[in-house]
Amino acid sequence: MATEYPDRYTGPTVAEIGEHATIRAILDAAPSHRNGDDAAVLPMPNPNTRTVVTTDMLVEGRHFRLDWSRAAEIGHKAVVQNFADIEAMGARPVAVVLALSAPGHTPVDFITELARGIGERVADYSADLAGGDLTGGEHLVVSVSAIGHLGGSMPALTLDGARPGQAVVAAGRIGYSAAGLALLRRYGRDDVPAEFTELVRAHLIPATAPGRGVIARAAGASSMTDNSDGLITDLETLARRSGVGIDLAGVAIAPDELLTAAGRHLGIDPWTWVLTGGEDHTLMGTTSKDAPSGFRVIGAVHRNRPGTGPAVTVDSEPPAHSTGWDSFPRRVPSP
Amino acid sequence: MATEYPDRYTGPTVAEIGEHATIRAILDAAPSHRNGDDAAVLPMPNPNTRTVVTTDMLVEGRHFRLDWSRAAEIGHKAVVQNFADIEAMGARPVAVVLALSAPGHTPVDFITELARGIGERVADYSADLAGGDLTGGEHLVVSVSAIGHLGGSMPALTLDGARPGQAVVAAGRIGYSAAGLALLRRYGRDDVPAEFTELVRAHLIPATAPGRGVIARAAGASSMTDNSDGLITDLETLARRSGVGIDLAGVAIAPDELLTAAGRHLGIDPWTWVLTGGEDHTLMGTTSKDAPSGFRVIGAVHRNRPGTGPAVTVDSEPPAHSTGWDSFPRRVPSP
């Protein structure tokens, strides 16, 4: 299926102006003095700083749809999901590089808008779009890698640092992105009822508060991840890697008024969005201390009793919904 | 056109075992204790070290063909072209991350062999496959980003550091990769005459000597790049960015016996491979001092006289061939 670009992108195509002119247009849209050499040299870190790196690939039709997302929004989202992984280590995002595969008929203004979206979002973090690679391909594939700095000698916030007795904390919405996706599926981009705009926006441009990961590490958090594949799925990973169990407080994660209204409107149980939705990129971690600034308590860590039940419960019961995102969902034969 | 895997890959597919089991298989094939968290924490660098980052994307059918390249070779090549960009700054490669899009029918052993190829090649550089992302997609897309460390306060080896009077130096073969490609086009993988095996190998697994970039920077080189898009194209970029001209010594870059024999065999002028071939990932730079260890002199930098001729000449004449790689070659109407 060939990539179809909305009519809004009207200028010449990449094939018409060529690779080098397109790269110049990208550099104009997201200027950085670090960009344009064989590799980008990042700023000198403070002494005693380690580098943190992650990567995430967005494929058209799987991670975004061109009839739903503007190019700049795809750029924003690519940054957010990468930087959430940097912040989930307790590190400070510093730069991204962009590798882009695009068909020859891709409008150049689509690509420059994508780069502008990336440039805007990295600027929110005082970071840089530091370099990239542009190549032809039958499909639009956006691959972003992010670099962060982890200062000082305190350990990174890894998945294996949760300990029994700690509180589970989170900073940000849970379930909003999935609700927005459900609304887009029902209505498309332009016909979603105005009262639910915030949910659609949460899906297209997930909001994050830069710096929460660094704050959590400084405040003594011991483990962290982000809600990318689904609340239960991601916390199960954290619990399993830490060898602990997690019990979430239903009242702390319950769908709020907006999610409840959207659920009623669509005839969908909003708990599915909260428990399995993912893509909120909300930071979630554990701590023996007070919740770090901007975080709230959503549960508690307890000793794991292997074989006695799920690693993550809600009010001590197995969660009503638990299947998160899988890039290759297994085809289980029906009984 | 659906991706077709050679019969050699016989195990279950990614769709059959799912994303998480595939990721576990990748981690078994290329183990790293840095891999497996939200992001990878790289080793603490020496004091006064900056981070260098680059990215390169390989798309099936454009950058590799599955009837020519084994999976491990694609992995090797992805590492080499990224690390050449790190070395071209005078930096030391430290880690790569891999983002991979693959159709559901991709055999898991194809993916693990790709990861093993990456793991083997990064180990040559004492570096790590530190993390990654696996996603479904209609096409096979391999996106690698590389991180390097640039120690000390000497400047990086940028494209704008060439100065009149300097020597142009290079470390490695020039034209071998393009000759190998021409042989593959003529014969396919299995029927290339044995005398030309080395050329095919140079295309499929370009050889590089780890550490040459660091050596060149320590030895006082002032600019550097690598032969990725073509000798003339890449040196033109360097000359333009430095505001200088470059004259190459024909005798220093002339096709050797093997290239000459292959050219005669195929009826192709081997100078096209030398001047426009690219993908050798040979480091090329400039210096006011002796050629750094492992480098040889191939030309000289002179003052640029704008408007008086090409930025790069061979024995003071315009090169016989000069069109290098372009991801989106412009369609120039015939006269």
Side-chain angles (χ1 to χ4, degrees):
Chain A
M1 211 171 50
T3 304
E4 279 182 50
Y5 293 94
D7 296 339
R8 144 178 10 105
Y9 304 102
T10 54
T13 67
V14 180
E16 283 163 356
I17 75 165
E19 175 182 357
H20 296 285
T22 303
I23 289 173
R24 279 195 298 276
I26 291 173
L27 292 173
D28 285 344
S32 165
H33 72 281
R34 304 190 192 284
N35 204 337
D37 218 295
D38 293 294
V41 181
L42 302 187
M44 179 72 78
N46 292 328
N48 208 18
T49 294
R50 283 166 289 175
T51 296
V52 172
V53 58
T54 188
T55 190
D56 251 316
M57 186 180 260
L58 300 179
V59 177
E60 186 216 335
R62 301 199 173 224
H63 302 96
F64 60 87
R65 283 174 50 162
L66 295 179
D67 54 340
W68 289 351
S69 290
R70 311 250 193 274
E73 292 166 347
I74 299 165
H76 275 264
K77 194 160 179 168
V79 171
V80 165
Q81 64 183 38
N82 271 281
F83 278 4
D85 286 332
I86 297 290
E87 295 231 34
M89 306 304 290
R92 185 172 64 80
V94 174
V96 296
V97 289
L98 163 68
L100 182 65
S101 149
H105 71 277
T106 302
V108 175
D109 54 358
F110 178 90
I111 292 181
T112 53
E113 189 190 307
L114 175 73
R116 186 171 51 71
I118 291 176
E120 286 171 358
R121 195 55 175 245
V122 296
D124 290 344
Y125 292 78
S126 305
D128 243 332
L129 172 54
D133 184 35
L134 173 66
T135 181
E138 284 177 61
H139 287 270
L140 191 60
V141 178
V142 179
S143 183
V144 168
S145 298
I147 313 295
H149 280 162
L150 186 76
S153 52
M154 288 169 66
L157 300 182
T158 48
L159 291 165
D160 58 3
R163 296 292 172 264
Q166 293 184 327
V168 179
V169 296
R173 306 289 194 190
I174 296 173
Y176 270 45
S177 177
L181 177 60
L183 288 157
L184 285 166
R185 283 195 174 127
R186 175 73 59 89
Y187 289 109
R189 164 110 189 187
D190 297 323
D191 299 315
V192 175
E195 60 197 290
F196 301 130
T197 305
E198 189 183 347
L199 298 173
V200 170
R201 195 175 160 78
H203 179 72
L204 296 174
I205 320 182
T208 51
R212 291 283 163 225
V214 170
I215 289 170
R217 179 164 169 257
S222 69
S223 73
M224 192 153 281
T225 189
D226 76 302
N227 179 22
S228 53
D229 292 342
L231 179 68
I232 299 300
T233 295
D234 288 317
L235 287 180
E236 274 177 353
T237 300
L238 189 145
R240 200 176 58 247
R241 294 285 291 278
S242 294
V244 298
I246 284 177
D247 188 46
L248 297 171
V251 67
I253 58 170
D256 64 10
E257 274 183 36
L258 187 57
L259 286 178
T260 303
R264 202 163 41 227
H265 183 89
L266 293 174
I268 294 176
D269 177 0
W271 276 101
T272 60
W273 300 329
V274 168
L275 297 174
T276 72
E279 289 204 290
D280 292 308
H281 300 295
T282 286
L283 292 180
M284 312 184 295
T286 64
T287 183
S288 303
K289 312 197 175 174
D290 289 343
S293 170
F295 286 77
R296 66 191 184 281
V297 176
I298 63 167
V301 184
H302 57 78
R303 234 173 262 290
N304 193 27
R305 287 152 306 190
T308 56
V312 179
T313 51
V314 179
D315 294 337
S316 304
E317 299 288 335
H321 314 276
S322 63
T323 309
W325 171 268
D326 189 320
S327 290
F328 299 94
R330 290 188 61 181
R331 294 175 234 148
V332 182
S334 331
Chain B
M1 211 171 49
T3 304
E4 278 181 50
Y5 293 94
D7 297 338
R8 147 178 6 105
Y9 303 102
T10 55
T13 67
V14 180
E16 283 163 356
I17 74 165
E19 176 182 357
H20 296 285
T22 303
I23 288 172
R24 279 195 298 276
I26 292 173
L27 292 173
D28 285 344
S32 164
H33 72 281
R34 303 191 192 284
N35 203 337
D37 218 295
D38 293 293
V41 180
L42 301 186
M44 179 72 78
N46 292 328
N48 208 17
T49 294
R50 283 165 291 174
T51 297
V52 173
V53 58
T54 187
T55 190
D56 250 318
M57 187 180 258
L58 300 179
V59 177
E60 186 215 335
R62 299 199 174 226
H63 302 97
F64 60 87
R65 283 174 50 162
L66 295 179
D67 55 339
W68 289 352
S69 290
R70 311 251 194 273
E73 292 166 348
I74 300 164
H76 275 265
K77 195 160 178 169
V79 171
V80 165
Q81 64 183 38
N82 271 281
F83 278 3
D85 286 332
I86 297 289
E87 296 230 33
M89 306 305 289
R92 184 171 65 80
V94 173
V96 296
V97 289
L98 162 68
L100 182 65
S101 149
H105 70 277
T106 303
V108 175
D109 54 359
F110 179 89
I111 292 181
T112 53
E113 188 188 308
L114 175 73
R116 186 170 53 71
I118 291 176
E120 285 170 0
R121 197 53 176 247
V122 296
D124 290 345
Y125 291 80
S126 306
D128 243 331
L129 171 54
D133 183 35
L134 173 66
T135 182
E138 284 176 63
H139 286 269
L140 191 60
V141 179
V142 179
S143 183
V144 168
S145 298
I147 313 295
H149 280 162
L150 186 76
S153 52
M154 290 169 64
L157 300 181
T158 48
L159 291 164
D160 58 3
R163 296 292 174 264
Q166 293 184 328
V168 179
V169 295
R173 307 288 194 191
I174 296 172
Y176 270 44
S177 177
L181 176 61
L183 287 158
L184 285 166
R185 283 196 173 125
R186 175 73 59 91
Y187 289 108
R189 164 110 189 188
D190 297 323
D191 299 316
V192 175
E195 62 196 290
F196 301 130
T197 305
E198 188 183 348
L199 298 173
V200 171
R201 193 175 161 80
H203 179 72
L204 297 174
I205 319 182
T208 50
R212 289 284 163 227
V214 171
I215 289 170
R217 180 164 169 257
S222 70
S223 73
M224 191 154 282
T225 189
D226 76 302
N227 178 23
S228 53
D229 292 342
L231 179 68
I232 298 301
T233 295
D234 289 316
L235 287 180
E236 273 177 354
T237 300
L238 188 145
R240 201 176 57 246
R241 294 285 292 278
S242 294
V244 299
I246 284 177
D247 188 45
L248 296 171
V251 66
I253 57 170
D256 64 11
E257 273 183 39
L258 187 57
L259 287 178
T260 303
R264 202 162 41 227
H265 183 89
L266 294 174
I268 295 175
D269 177 0
W271 276 100
T272 61
W273 301 327
V274 168
L275 297 174
T276 71
E279 289 204 291
D280 292 308
H281 300 295
T282 286
L283 292 179
M284 313 183 296
T286 63
T287 183
S288 303
K289 311 195 175 176
D290 289 343
S293 169
F295 286 77
R296 66 192 184 281
V297 175
I298 63 167
V301 184
H302 57 79
R303 236 172 262 288
N304 193 29
R305 287 151 306 189
T308 57
V312 179
T313 51
V314 178
D315 294 337
S316 305
E317 299 290 333
H321 314 275
S322 63
T323 308
W325 172 267
D326 189 319
S327 291
F328 299 94
R330 292 189 60 181
R331 291 174 236 149
V332 181
S334 331

